[in-house]
Every structure is written in C-alpha cells, then in structure tokens.
Amino acid sequence: MEHTQTLSVETQPIARQPKDYKSDLEPIWCPGCGDYGVLNALFKALSQLNIDPDRTVLVSGIGCSSRLPGFVVTYGFHGVHGRILPVATGIKLANPELTVIGVGGDGDGYSIGMEHFPHACRRNIDITYLVMNNQIYGLTKGQTSPTSSPMFVTKTTPFGNVEGTLNPLQIAIVSGATFVARGYSSMPNQLARIIAEAIRHPGFALVDVFSPCVTFNKVQTFDYYKGRVYEVPETHDPTDKFAALKLAEEEERFPIGILYRVERPTLDEQVAMIKQRAHTDNPSVEHLFRRFQ
Amino acid sequence: MEHTQTLSVETQPIARQPKDYKSDLEPIWCPGCGDYGVLNALFKALSQLNIDPDRTVLVSGIGCSSRLPGFVVTYGFHGVHGRILPVATGIKLANPELTVIGVGGDGDGYSIGMEHFPHACRRNIDITYLVMNNQIYGLTKGQTSPTSSPMFVTKTTPFGNVEGTLNPLQIAIVSGATFVARGYSSMPNQLARIIAEAIRHPGFALVDVFSPCVTFNKVQTFDYYKGRVYEVPETHDPTDKFAALKLAEEEERFPIGILYRVERPTLDEQVAMIKQRAHTDNPSVEHLFRRFQ
Amino acid sequence: MDGSRTDFVVRLAGESGEGVLSLGEMLTTALARLGYEVYTFRTYPAEIKGGTVLYQVRVADHVLLSYGSHVDVFVALNEEGYHDNVDSLRPGGTLIYDSDNVPTHELPGRCVIPIPIGTIAKKEIGSVLTKNVVALGAILRFIGAPVEAGERIAEETFKRKGDEVVQKNYQALHAGYNYISQFADCTKPLLHGVEQVNTERLIINGNEALALGAVHGGLGLYAGYPITPATDIMEAVAPILPRFDGVLMQAEDEISALGMVLGAAFAGKRAMTATSGPGLSLMVEQINLAGQAEIPAVIVDVQRGGASTGLPTKSSQGDLNLALYGVHNESPRVVLAPTSVEDCFYLIQHALNIAERYQVPVIVLSDQSLAHRRCTIPKPDLARVPRWDRIVPEPGTNGEYARYKITETGISPMAIPGMKGLAYTATGIEHNEYSDPTYTPENLQAMKTKRFRKLDHLNQHYAEQFVRIWGDPDGADVGIIGWGSTEGVIREAMELAGREGVRAAALYPKMLLPLPVRIIEEFASRVKKVLVPEKNFTGEFAAYLRAQTRIEPISYAKDTGLPFDPEDVKEQIIRVARM
Amino acid sequence: MDGSRTDFVVRLAGESGEGVLSLGEMLTTALARLGYEVYTFRTYPAEIKGGTVLYQVRVADHVLLSYGSHVDVFVALNEEGYHDNVDSLRPGGTLIYDSDNVPTHELPGRCVIPIPIGTIAKKEIGSVLTKNVVALGAILRFIGAPVEAGERIAEETFKRKGDEVVQKNYQALHAGYNYISQFADCTKPLLHGVEQVNTERLIINGNEALALGAVHGGLGLYAGYPITPATDIMEAVAPILPRFDGVLMQAEDEISALGMVLGAAFAGKRAMTATSGPGLSLMVEQINLAGQAEIPAVIVDVQRGGASTGLPTKSSQGDLNLALYGVHNESPRVVLAPTSVEDCFYLIQHALNIAERYQVPVIVLSDQSLAHRRCTIPKPDLARVPRWDRIVPEPGTNGEYARYKITETGISPMAIPGMKGLAYTATGIEHNEYSDPTYTPENLQAMKTKRFRKLDHLNQHYAEQFVRIWGDPDGADVGIIGWGSTEGVIREAMELAGREGVRAAALYPKMLLPLPVRIIEEFASRVKKVLVPEKNFTGEFAAYLRAQTRIEPISYAKDTGLPFDPEDVKEQIIRVARM
Ligand SMILES: Cc1ncc(C[n+]2csc(CCOP(=O)(O)OP(=O)(O)O)c2C)c(N)n1
Ligand SMILES: Cc1ncc(C[n+]2csc(CCOP(=O)(O)OP(=O)(O)O)c2C)c(N)n1
Ligand code: SF4
Ligand code: SF4
Ligand SMILES: [Mg+2]
Ligand SMILES: [Mg+2]
C-alpha cells in the first residue's frame, strides 16, 4: 500500500471522483436502507485516497450488506456466509500490494464469523473490516443477531431476545486489533473520514457502522440514533486501551469516531520478515532432495 | 442444581471422596503432564460439593486434555474438535438439573472453538468451562495455539510464531461471562477451590488453567511458572469489570484466582421464564390446527 | 375444462416487496375457505426488495396434484413480471394488469382487463398500501367468488392494525370488486359451487406442516440458524414450542445448532434442527459424530436452488448426494424425503421416532417448492404415528454399563444422564462395548457392523410403510421411481400420459437410506422401463439406484429452480415408452 | 526365499514414546543407504504416550510393492507388543526381545534371542535413552549389516545434541552389535550384498514427497490446521516455503484454512491445504464455493481410520464418497488419488496444474499408510510435470469483462487483482457471464453446463495419462480396478496369484472424478471378472463404478485400519477367479 503511506489524505490531488467507483449494478437494497449511506461513504473514502480500483479487493460474506462489492468497480470476492476474514487474509498474504477491505453484516461477522474475528485481530493483518451493523439479520427477513438488544422481538424470538448483546468493539480491542472505530450511516462525511483512516492504518482496522435496517428493525431506527450518537471527544487518547474500552462500554449513548489506534507489526510485514530470514540464493528442490538421501 | 444452591461448600458433610469420582480407565497422559493436576483438582472439587456423578456431565472436544471425561465416573460427551460449548448448552437446556462442565484444551476452545466461546459467554448459560491451557497443541504433537507466546518455535512455526497471543480471560469478560478465573495445575487446592466456586456459580464460568505440556512445550514449563504466578490480591474487587480486565492484562506475572464474578439471569433461567410466559393449560396440536383453517 | 367443474390457475406477478406474496396468500385462503382445493407455488428473488415475485394458485373442486401447466388468469402488477410470464397465459385466458405500471398490450385470443390499481388505491382509498387488496377484490369478482370471502380474510389480516385500516381495506376490496363489473364480457365465472364445504381440512404449507408435526412428535429442543427457505420452520416452532415445555434456540451458526441438538438428545430430549444446503454442509462433521457415537438427531434440509449460495429462493433436489454420502469414513444415518405437504406432518414424526429408537442421525429432505407450497390437506390424524421411545437400560452400577453393547438389532440400550449407575462417556473415537477407546481391527469390524446393522433392521421391518406405489405396475409401459416433492406432479403427468395411451406407474420411497432395494427391484421387474425424474443436474437419484440396485433406470434430470411441469414430464413418459 | 537374494521383513513393536519410531527410521535409512530397497509401515496409538507402536521394514534387493505378509525378524520391546504381534512371526523366523520387559517365552520352530536392552543401556552405557540404539546395533548385526551403517545414522541423528551424546550412542550401537554374537546359530545373515549402490534414490514417505512436489509445483500459499496424519505435510512445507517466496499460515480451523487458500488463489497464487476426514468435512461448504465461483484450490485429504474421530492414527480409504459427493446441489470438482510414494510427488503437481487451468477445487486423496510409508524411490524427475499456467484475459475496460464467459472448453479466462480494467466480483450466487446475480432457468442451465463442461474437457484430453494398467488384461481371469495406496500390494498379490495359476491384471485410475469411464469399460470388457478391493466398509469405489459405468464389479471392501495384506488379496483374486 505504498500510496497510503507516502501521501496524506489532505494533500492528495483528487484524481478519481466518488462516482468513478460506482459499478453498473444498481444496489438492491430497500429504499432508505442504511447501507446506501455506507456505500456512499466508501465511494468518498476511496476517492479521497485516490485508490486504484484495479488494485483493490472488497471481500464479503452473505447478507444484504454483503452484496456491496457488486456495486463498486473494484475487484470483489462475494464468498459464503461468515468467512470474510480468512478470504481477506489469504488475498492480502498472496499480494500485500493490494488494498483489501472486508464488508459485511453483523450476523455474518459477529455470529457465524466470530470464529475468525478475534484471530484476524490478533494477527493484525493489514486489512480494513467494515461491518454494517443493523442489529438484525436483514436478508433472511429479520431475526436477532448477536448485537440485537435485550428482549428484542422477532419471529424467532417471539418472547423477546434473552441472549446477551455482544460488544464487537471491546472484543476487537482485547483481541489485538490495532484500529477500532464506530461509524454511523447517517453521518456520511464522518464515516468517509473514518473509513479512509482505517484503510490508511497499517494493521487490522475494524469499522463497525450503525446502518439501520428500515424494513425489519423497528427499534434501532434512524430516529433511535438521533440524539444517541455523539462524536468521540477530542480529549480521548486513542492509544489508551482502557480508555477505549471504557468508551466502547456504551449503554444509552454511542460514541462515533476512532476509539482505538495503536501500531504494531502487521502479519504481512512479519511474513515478509520470515521470507527474508529464510532467504537462500537460487533455492531448488534438487537441493532439498539431499535431506532424503 | 439444587444442591449447590442450598448447601454451602464448608458445611457440606463429605459423603463422596475424591477417589470415588475416578473411573477405571487409566489416564493416557505423559508422565508429568499438567492435566493430572487438573484431574485431581476436579476430583476434589466434585467431592467438596458432593456432586452426584449420575447427575453430572463432562463435555469435551478433541485433544489430550479432552480425554479427561473418560477418567471420571460421571456421564461424559467426548465430541468433535471445538464444539464443547454448543453441546454443553444443549445438555443444560435439555435438563437444567444437571451439572454440566466443559473440559478441553486451548486449541479446542480458543482456536477452532472461538466460534462458540463469546456466544456462550453472552448467553450466560449456567455451565462451567475448564480449559487446560498449555499454550500448545499436545495431541497433534506440538504446534502453536492462539495462546502460544510470540516467536514460539514449533514445527509449523520454524521461524517463530508471528501471530498475536489471545487473552481468553479478557475476551470472556467483555463477552459477558459472569465468572472468570485462572488456575494453575501445580496449585491443586487453590484450583479445586476455584473449580468448586465455578460450579456453584449460577451462570457461565470460565476457569482457564495453566497446565503445562511437558512433552512439547519447552517454554511454558512448570519452572517457567514458578515465581510468575501469584494469588489474586485480597483487595481485588471481582465485581469490578475494569479492575478484572486490568488484572487479566498479564505480561510477566500471572494472577491465579477469581478475577471476575457478577450475577445476571442465566440462559436456563430465562428459558424457564419464557416457558412460564407461554404456558397454556393442556396445550394441543389440535388446537393449533385452527390457525390453518 | 368441463364447464360445470372448477379447475383453473391464477398467476400473480409483481414487484418484490409490494405485497404480491400476501395477495397470493389471501386469495388462496379465501378460496380454500369456500371449500375449494388449492395448490400454490411461489418464487421470488433473493433480494429483499426489487425483482419480480411470482405466486401461482390452482383452484379446483377436486384434489390437486400440481400447480398446473397453463395459466387461466394472469395478474400482472409490474412490467418485468408481465414480460416474463405473459407467454404462460393460455389461449382464451384472461390478463388482468395494473395499467398504472404495465403499458397497454394487445393479446390476440386473450381477454385483457386493465385496472389502474395504484390510482384507485391512492385516489379512491387514500393509501397505496391497499393496492394488493384492490387486486384481491378484482380477482375475486372476476372468478366469481362472493365479496364476503374477501372481507373475512381482509379483516383477519389487518385487524391487529386497528379498525381504521380494516375499513380502508374493505373499501379497497369493494373498489376492486366493483371496478371489474364493466368488463362483463370477460367475466365468465370460473368458480362453480362446491357441494359441501369440508371444514376438516387445513390450509397449510410444507414448512408449517413440518413444524406442527415436529411439535406433535414430542420435540423437546429446536436449535437453528436462519436460512432461506428453512427459516419459517423455526419461525413456526418458536411461538409454540415453549407451551409444550420445549426450548427453541437461535444458535450462532449451523455447527452450533447441531451441537445443541446432539447435547439435548444425549440428555434425553427429542431434538431437531432445520437448514438448507450451506448449513447442511457445515453440519457434516457432527452428523458423522451422531452416527458414530449413536446419538439421535433430526436434521431437516429444505433444499434450495444452485450450488454454494446459488439460487437461495428457488427449488431443487440437489442435496441428495450430500445427505447420502456427506460423511468421512462411514457411519450410519437415515435419509427420509416427504412427498407432499401432508406427508411433512407425518414424516417428521417418523424421523423423530427413528432417531430416538435407532440412535442415528436422520436427515429429512424437503425443498423450497414443498416448503412454500400452501395447499389444502385433510386434517391430520394425530394418532397415526405412534410414539417410539428410546430403549433405555435398567439402572446399574457405574463401570459395568455396556453403552455400546453388541446386540442382534444393533441397538444398544442408551442411558440418559440422571439415570442411576449408568454413567458413561459417549465418544466419536472407535470404542468397545464399554465405550473405551479401542483400536484393534477386530473391534473396528465388530462395532462398525453393529452400527450398520441398525439400518438393516430398520429396512427389514419398516421399509414397506415408507413406500407408496401409484397406478398398477404390472405391465406398465413406464415405471417411474421418484423421490420427494415431485410426487404430485408425477401423478398428474401419469394421468396425462394415460390419456395419450401410455400407461405408467410410480413408486415413491420416502425412506432413501436405507434404500428399500427389494421393493424397488420388484417394482422395476414388473414395468417395461424405469424412468427416474428429478430436479437436479446430474441425476443423483438415478446414479444412486444404479449403485445400489440391479435396475437400469433412465434418468430425467432437469434443474431449473422451478418445480416440474406436468406437461413436460408427460412428454418424457411418452418418450421413454416409445424408446 | 532364495538364499542369495535379499527380501525379508523386520517388525518392531514397543511402548509408545520409547523411541520405536525413530529406531525404525534409523534402521530403514541405514539399510537404504547400503543400497537396498525398503518399504515401511507404521501404526501407533492415538495417544501421545502409552500403547504399542509398530514399525515394519521390508528390505530387498529389488523393487518392493508392499510391506510384506510374513515377519522374518520380530523385535519385541514391550510385553503388549509381544503378545499382539508374535503370531505374525513366520516359522523359521527369529524373535529378538528385550528380556528386561518381556518374560521368557518358548517359540517352537523359531529362534529366540533375549537381550537385556534396558540393562545394557543403563549399566553399560549409562543412559536409558540409548535403548533404541542398542536395539539398532543388535538388529544390524543379526541381519548381517556392517556396524558402520549404524554409526553414520547414529552420528547424523544425534550430532545436534553434541559429541558426548554421539559417543554414547556409538557405544550403545556396538554393545548391541556385540551382544548378538553369542547367538551365532541364529544369525544366518539375511542381507546379501547389492551389486551397486544407487545414489539416485530418495528415502522418503508419502507426506514428504507430497510436500516437496507441491513446493516444486509452484506453491505460493499453504494454509492448514494440524490434524493427524496430515500435519507433517505442513511441517515439511513450513521451513522450505518461505525460501521459495511462499507463505505458510496455521489457520484457526480448516474452514479458515480453505478460506485463505481461496483468497490467495483468487489473488493469483497457487494455494493448497492438507487435512484429514474431520477437516474435509468442515471444508465442504467452501469447496462448493470454489466449484461454483470457479476458484482454484488444492485440498489434500490424508484419510485416516474410522468415522468421526475414529482411529486417527490408522489408515482407510473411507473418504471417497465425501470427496466425490460432499457438495450441496452440484458444482464441479476434481478428485485425484496417488498410488505410491513416488506418485505423491508428481500428482500434487498435476493437482496444482488442474486447479489453476480449470479453475476448480481439486481434492487429492492420500491415506495414512501412504503418508507414513517411508521407502526408497527413484530420484524424481523435476521436468516431468510441466507447469500449466492460469488462462488470463487481455487487459480491458472495467464493466466489460465477462469473467464467466461461456466457452467451448468451459474455461473462462480469469483475471487477477491488479490487472488493468478487469475488476469483477467473484460470487457463489448464480450469475451470468458478467458475474451479475441472475436467477432465470435458462441462465442456470447455461452456466451449470459450462462449469461441468470443464470436467468433460479434462477427461477427454488428459484421462489417459492418469491411468496405469498392470499386467495384460486380455483374457485375464480377474481384472482388478483399484485406487489409491493399495496399488503396490495389489500388484504383489497379482504375482502371488499368478504363481497359483490365476492370471490377473489391474487398472488404477489416479483421476477418480472425472472418471475415465471409457478406459475402465474397455479394460473391463477384456477381463473375465472385475474385482474392486478397497480399504473401507461399504465398498465406496465399487458403488461409484456401478453408478457411473456399465461394469459389474465384485466388491472386496475390508476396513481394519491397516493396509491390505498381499496374501489376503491373493486369496480374494483366486476366489473371484473360481466364482
Ligand atoms: C451457512 C449459511 N447459513 C445461513 C445462511 C443464511 N443467511 C444469509 S444472510 C444471513 C444473515 C444476514 O445478516 P447480516 O450478516 O447481519 O446481514 P444483513 O442482511 O443484516 O445486512 C443468513 C443467516 C447462509 N447464507 N449460509
Ligand atoms: C476438525 C478437526 N481438526 C483438527 C483435529 C486434530 N486435532 C486433534 S487435537 C487438536 C488440538 C489439540 O490442542 P488442544 O485443544 O490445546 O489440546 P491439548 O492436546 O493441548 O490438550 C487438533 C488440532 C481434529 N481432531 N478435528
Ligand atoms: S432488509 Fe433491511 S438491511 Fe436488507 S436491504 Fe432492506 S433495509 Fe437494508
Ligand atoms: S503431549 Fe503434552 S498435553 Fe499431551 S499428554 Fe503429553 S504432556 Fe500432556
Ligand atoms: Mg445485519
Ligand atoms: Mg493445548
């Protein structure tokens, strides 16, 4: 990702407009769906960084949100449900020059995808992971997700949700993610800025975005968030792990912005280091045969 | 679990001895393996609580440690790799009267089992989960696990482990577990006490135990822990989440004891509550047919 | 069509998210309540909004076997839907379309009725949300149904939204109803009165029937993960199960769902999960554990279209191979396939029984077309499937209980935690009778033989009751061997072929593993040729029959995402007869 | 056995964790370096310590096909090992046993040599750790090998532990060597000099050969999760791959491992994973994605014994069904099976080639007996398998690239991220040529046909090179069709049967899917009877042949956890010939 390291967001001469990242496929989301805001913010962030679509891969799972890659004119990998992070890891390890961005839903990422989430965090693989968190399963028509609120009523929880609500930000922080942010679909400029910062960040960057499902989630609506979201205070020190954990300990009001940001070697850097340490001139299998003679 | 609620550990007239919980199967662990200490502590804890073996189920996955249920004369479920928690959840939901204890390794629980771990925590299902954490894969002859230390050398990481080390205690705490403790295989009385408290605790109780693999882990040995482990200070308030998180933020020295303990409704209690709310006298399918006429 | 009989097809097509499905469901229920038999089919895009939804109702005064080949009334609510479906309208049929959305078209040989549905809803009623009820009124009037039939269903549908909404929908219904009168020349009523309204019927679809059947079958725990088209089984079970002292859990994924099922079954409860292909794939490892450690489990797979994510809202019979063979090394399992909506109610009870009695995983293969086929069925007989209980051992002394005792049937009495002196550890490692890990060749042979013996026992004693034969095989030109949801269509195709002088018979085994080989071979020996029609690409069932029996089936494998068309199958029957 | 030829079997049995495996490996290497052919087999308990390990070496001056049926020298190091194996010692053979551990036994018709191995190691050498080298010395002397052969291997094995340890082991070796001289009457040397020592050979096992082959085949990323008996592939690749600019990742589970493989392949690298049955089960969903979205992937499955956790350190051929059919709905895949250690080196290169060229998942079925079979093979020819590259499109304009273009071969040129103007989104949803989600029946048919056409192309053009025929099928009494690791044993059994007047030929397809049907049917038409021997319980390959071909195989399915015994297979050949 040379360009993100040598250029700063502010001084970058904008060569590509947000619309240049739009593909011919029309989004299939319901009118009003929060995911439109996320898509637009992503367009903006990509254009702010002037990212080359031919050197970018969006990786998604299954869900309404996971259809996003088709709407962007970059390379895309629309895999199976819950496996964004392994696929993204494989892509980045295969070609560290690529900008790799995972995009998907809360069900995809925090329910079935939980297998991979803490591991991607601890590996600090240099990818961005954008979760459109609508606290519900949209595509399957409205069931609870791990981020659904207590006593949330759906067709599978007619008596109310009795499972605790997961806090993905805190899990990311304690698992070793080096960039943890929260965005809101209705704050597009703010969100674009966060996404751009996440892409620029060397290491695993989680951006969890409140992106209301207007069709099935009648609790966490745009109205609900109005007055409940606020920007992360300027005084917050994003390198302070416990301060970040505290900020993420949301109850009634939700901080939007970058909660946590530190640096440590990324997986791809460490893998490159291993290659260097292992280096031999003209490696040959012929040579390896000697061990078996 | 009536007996654990009505009787206190101290005043319980001991009717069953630790040895009464031993099955005829001889443990197959290497001489000196940490798991022997865990097994003995479990025997002790069961006898302290005078637990009825016929009303107890040990659930395990695959690994050296996961062979434990066979050595105890309770019911046992030795399933596949990584699935202890779903199976234990199913058992507890099916019969909340049973004492259900998950037992397994760090690979089983924190690598492949990560899919289920935060979810079990947030559900606060009333089971105990005992992880014999040797920071390595024993049964497959020594590969890195998610709790292996940085630059740990194994046959699959000949250049050293470049993945970050997971902190299972912190993950449990932020995911909603209500009892989080750490034990050490070489402190058997302490460990027995922790396990007994964990079993008594109403809700999801994690007991992560340092249980050295003497055959494959040449770093985290019994020697290594000597001087590095210390008891959780008396002054620690286990209901303080952030204090617990701080205590779990270990670097060089490791607190042994109960780090976190709070109470909130368990999954099984909530399910019972739903059953009550849904209650109808003489429910009949005949009656349900009306909706389809 | 005989003028005094009722048998016609209405197809609705419109924009996804615009209430087409609920229009179809209201129409279906209204007609069924009038005493008609109904049989429906729906297909819709994978997206929540956008694309075209199709809903087809066939209505008759006699039992229906398929959703029909030719459309009599085509109701087009958007342009894409119009274009994609207009060819299916038979000559002499009627097109009703929303003239606000679909441009005017000439249709030689068909009646054409334009209705400005949106305008009526907006201008006259004051709410676009009533559009589908305007359409309902128009359709009811057109086919000759009384407006009261629509009133009742409108009331039921909207009453929880308050009186005002109900009133608006009454108005909408009548507006549509009245609007149609101006097209008197088109409106030759298609409905002819039924003699007597049979109230001993249900209007229900496959998923709902399966959910009720499971609850009636003593379900103690349902654990599932949402996936189309299986989710509505969970949604049907959810509000009911706690009343019957059962527990429903939405798991974090399918692996966990099956893990919970195995745990609950181990602990003595009847437990099940339902999923579709991707979920079944994830369950493979633990299905094998269930087979090996002998733990009951019921797994419903509502097959959908396409490989991988594929065509998630379409139908196929493409998971047979996975159900039969999805296991590393080998452990026993049972595979059942319901053939009708009614069958869903009963077969799931058998599945729970077999799992419990034989301590095996039972996979039940339904599919999207069956799952969402809403139709009239006779009210199920609650006593038809007697409960089979688990065979449990006598109380014992710990250490002496041979959990995996080698018996003649292969079934070893299975203790339930809480039982005295029977503590044992279930394990997926190869083990001896006492469940101790054991690695000798002799033990492997003995235990594997014992486990598979259970399937032999099941096959020998119960195969017959899971086989249905239609028509007389003796000397039939074509003997059809089919499975699953195609049964009705095949029977109808047989009738059609019969009219053209080709005599066919059909055999449907509802138990596919163990396969009732003897019965199948016997059937095949009596017919001239064997045709195996199935809704997949490679002919999975035909290959399975070739592998397991001595018959030589002719495969007709067709994968389109849609159910079979009776006319198409008829052609195949005739082709094979003439081969 | 002819006195001037070398061909004998040594079996070692001892306590797990006591160095039996390393004794076996040292003995094997020492003998191979003297110029003999060696062929080994090992089996050990699933636990780390405890239970008995068995290691068998067959040594000869000619190419070996099996690990032999009869034991000539049995070395018993613990009592359980003695009891379990003593019956395999042929009349006239010799028992060498550790008299510190095994009580004295009479063995009529066999020579018996007690050695107090532990006492020697402890008292004479001063280190119990040298026990297995004492045994090595004794064995070498007994079979007539020079002590220098032992010295070299002892030096190599222990040099990284320092000079002192090497010296101790020299002493141990000589102590064992000398101790044996007192049993002069038993020591008729079994080794007869080889003419010329061929240094153009490797002493290697199946997993190692496969690992080297993969690296030579251009492997760019290996992602895996440890599992017996596949782990040592990863362990062999780990220290090497970074030198060849590749990356190795230990994933959190098998689902993640395959996800990483798909990601890397999508991004243009050759990528693979290796696992065993439980892991393959977990990969089912994403293998299907690879087939549907047309992403290259190589998955090695080293089959182990038993269903579920089963017999993890034993061998079987029980995963064929899962490899062939483990997919919901249907997407193409290729299944290959190496038949020998040498073949492992080449076939994995073909697997990488096929995956890359045809954009399909390729499953390679090895098994524990092949994986851990250490034997001598000719030094592989590095030029034998030419590299097939991915077919990539010309640079284009974004939005115009038809990623899934329908072509005659079924292969659509596949872009690699970074290529200009070819951005596209790979998807598992059914799609049109431009990768846009598309749900029509016509598109489904067209795309599914295209995808499966790739298999037809592969079969038509390359099937022949993946088939080996042994012996002359024309008029053979028995034609054997087998697969995988049994090839050597079957060839030996054919020879044995030939000596008893029954003529057999054998066909081994290394490509099982697509199946070379034409070649198989042709072979079958030339022999009198077809016998299909395989190491599983239900006869998976025989059933597959029945399903896919017109031949009528006689199945010999035997599941013991151990490889076939040539004598046993010979009996079967004769039985079938006489049927
Ligand atoms: C293995 C598997 N299980 C289940 C499904 C069904 N499924 C599709 S999307 C989805 C959840 C969608 O929720 P989320 O990820 O939050 O995305 P959203 O639609 O809300 O954007 C599920 C369960 C699937 N496709 N694959
Ligand atoms: C699906 C699956 N993958 C891999 C394995 C192989 N396997 C067995 S045990 C194990 C890890 C053991 O490590 P841990 O859980 O830490 O237990 P320990 O042996 O260290 O006590 C693995 C990877 C398996 N049995 N199943
Ligand atoms: S269902 Fe919800 S998440 Fe899906 S597109 Fe509609 S509004 Fe968005
Ligand atoms: S290998 Fe390690 S964990 Fe396993 S039994 Fe031996 S010492 Fe214990
Ligand atoms: Mg969501
Ligand atoms: Mg471990």
Side-chain angles (χ1 to χ4, degrees), chain D residues 216-217 270 346 349-354 357 381-389 462 465:
Chain D
H216 181 58
R270 296 183 161 223
Y346 297 113
Q349 297 174 56
H350 287 297
L352 289 162
N353 275 347
I354 293 172
R357 174 62 53 87
D381 173 0
L382 293 175
R384 186 184 303 175
V385 184
R387 189 79 57 91
W388 286 359
D389 283 321
Y462 300 103
Q465 81 178 69

Side-chain angles (χ1 to χ4, degrees), chain B residues 35 62-65 81 105-108 112 134 136-140, chain C residues 285, chain D residues 225-227 254 278-279 282 304:
Chain B
D35 295 352
I62 302 293
C64 293
S65 41
H81 192 43
D106 45 324
D108 190 89
I112 188 168
N134 52 14
I136 202 159
Y137 288 10
L139 190 61
T140 49
Chain C
E285 192 194 8
Chain D
Y225 188 69
I227 188 166
E254 290 85 353
L282 288 170
R304 56 194 224 181

Side-chain angles (χ1 to χ4, degrees), chain C residues 337-354:
Chain C
T339 60
S340 67
V341 170
E342 192 181 0
D343 204 22
C344 287
F345 184 83
Y346 297 114
L347 206 61
I348 187 71
Q349 297 174 57
H350 287 296
L352 290 162
N353 275 347
I354 292 172

